[in-house]
Amino acid sequence: MRKAASLATPAWFNAYHPYADHLQFLSDLAAAYPSRAKVVTGGTSTQGRPIKGINIFGSSGSGVKPAIIWHANVHAREWITSMTAEYMAYKLLTNYGNSTEIKGYVDKYDFYIFPVVNPDGFVYSQTTNRMWRKNRQSPPSGSSCYGRDINRNWDIHWSDPGGASTNPCDDTYKGTAPFDASETRTLAAFLNAKKNSTQEMKMYIDWHSYSQMFFTPYGWTCTQLPPDYTELLALAKGFTTSLKAVYGTTYTYGPSCSTIYKTTGSSDDYTYGVTGVKYSFSAELRDKGTYGFVLPANQIYPTGIETWAGVKYLLTNMK
């Protein structure tokens, strides 16, 4: 029986794809570069799906250099985020051999890129409700509404008022306790294990859509700034300037609370404040609302290309 053609080609970025094909893309991409990449599991979903990602490593091998971890499709309907994460993984691997710049990044850092960290919600958004946001966790006692917002469920200022909903039927429902979602609990364990290993952890980015924004901590407070604020803000400015230079796409940037709205129990506040990753960011990709979550497939490539330009600024300028 003839093996199916690899999905890890430039044509992948011309369309959106079913979840099973995303898994195949990661497998195909890793198989094409066995000395530079492998498929890894970063957690487990509520319905038992492994949260798959790709580990991209350089000349030292896997698990040696400081970890860079990116999460995408945290919210199910934000399909552009998984495509963008995969585009950056594709660039890192396909250009390692012909770009001294990219070889420099891959030899310096160990990348762990998770394109779909909410697989249950993502599948549901493809099969049942395109606008679904949360995971697919069973309703809490007394409710018939499914799902936790897995970017309000991390154990950082989780119980503070005003940054999430306590109503199980709301899109920003934070759950009954911090880490009561399998996704957040297991993803946090993966992050903390990397940080606490000899490898350590250098950077975290949580990719979302839409609004064209790039955030530094904090989400939980609009009055307090993180100790590394000046450096992080300069990096955020550089990201947005580099991104804009490609197609003229304008992003706003700043601390997430004052730039968009207050969020409690968010992943980048957790990685910054608990895990101890100085370079913790989150982003809202294209667009500003014309298409919103249903961004046309012909914007996958430009979104990937401009986002990669911003990320390269970060990789070059982190201390």
Side-chain angles (χ1 to χ4, degrees):
M1 191 173 148
R2 190 174 67 83
K3 185 182 183 297
S6 171
L7 293 180
T9 71
W12 175 257
F13 305 101
N14 293 332
Y16 294 103
H17 304 279
Y19 176 63
D21 287 356
H22 282 276
L23 297 180
Q24 192 62 51
F25 172 86
L26 293 179
S27 295
D28 289 349
L29 187 57
Y33 300 93
S35 64
R36 294 276 169 265
K38 62 181 182 179
V39 174
V40 291
T41 300
T44 310
S45 77
T46 297
Q47 296 176 347
R49 290 182 174 94
I51 298 172
K52 293 290 188 181
I54 191 165
N55 171 209
I56 298 170
F57 46 88
S59 51
S60 302
S62 174
V64 178
K65 297 295 184 178
I68 287 175
I69 300 178
W70 299 335
H71 289 169
N73 249 129
V74 176
H75 292 139
R77 61 197 177 192
E78 298 169 8
W79 293 5
I80 188 60
T81 62
S82 45
M83 298 303 300
T84 302
E86 288 164 352
Y87 178 82
M88 293 190 286
Y90 186 81
K91 292 295 284 187
L92 287 168
L93 283 168
T94 56
N95 290 311
Y96 180 88
N98 58 23
S99 164
T100 54
E101 179 188 36
I102 287 178
K103 185 177 188 299
Y105 302 146
V106 176
D107 285 347
K108 187 175 183 180
Y109 299 116
D110 217 24
F111 291 82
Y112 297 84
I113 301 172
F114 295 95
V116 184
V117 299
N118 179 10
D120 303 344
F122 184 62
V123 169
Y124 193 76
S125 76
Q126 294 192 319
T127 61
T128 310
N129 178 356
R130 178 65 183 84
M131 286 296 110
W132 189 256
R133 171 181 166 103
K134 298 183 283 185
N135 72 359
R136 289 296 299 161
Q137 202 158 336
S138 297
S141 177
S143 175
S144 60
C145 292
Y146 279 75
R148 309 285 196 268
D149 182 342
I150 61 169
N151 202 35
R152 301 293 186 277
N153 188 248
W154 295 70
D155 195 2
I156 180 84
H157 290 269
W158 179 87
S159 57
D160 289 10
S165 176
T166 56
N167 180 349
C169 300
D170 287 349
D171 266 351
T172 57
Y173 177 53
K174 64 184 182 178
T176 58
F179 289 144
D180 76 333
S182 175
E183 294 84 356
T184 52
R185 188 169 61 250
T186 55
L187 290 166
F190 184 92
L191 294 167
N192 291 332
K194 290 296 173 200
K195 176 62 179 172
N196 295 326
S197 70
T198 54
Q199 182 180 4
E200 296 196 335
M201 183 173 163
K202 185 73 174 182
M203 175 207 260
Y204 173 77
I205 304 179
D206 197 28
W207 298 103
H208 292 266
S209 71
Y210 61 94
S211 283
Q212 295 173 200
M213 295 178 174
F214 195 75
F215 305 123
T216 64
Y218 295 117
W220 62 267
T221 173
C222 288
T223 55
Q224 203 171 316
L225 295 171
D228 304 293
Y229 174 69
T230 304
E231 183 186 357
L232 295 179
L233 193 71
L235 286 168
K237 180 181 181 181
F239 173 94
T240 60
T241 302
S242 301
L243 184 152
K244 184 178 182 178
V246 184
Y247 299 113
T249 308
T250 54
Y251 270 55
T252 50
Y253 66 93
S256 62
C257 185
S258 55
T259 307
I260 188 167
Y261 43 62
K262 181 177 179 179
T263 56
T264 50
S266 67
S267 63
D268 53 332
D269 279 354
Y270 180 88
T271 56
Y272 184 83
V274 179
T275 309
V277 179
K278 177 165 78 165
Y279 300 107
S280 292
F281 303 99
S282 57
E284 298 279 357
L285 300 178
R286 290 191 184 193
D287 54 9
K288 287 189 170 181
T290 303
Y291 297 102
F293 300 114
V294 193
L295 196 70
N298 65 7
Q299 292 197 40
I300 295 170
Y301 254 115
T303 303
I305 291 165
E306 69 189 11
T307 305
W308 176 232
V311 166
K312 285 195 295 182
Y313 180 89
L314 301 176
L315 294 174
T316 302
N317 290 284
M318 285 191 302
K319 289 177 186 169

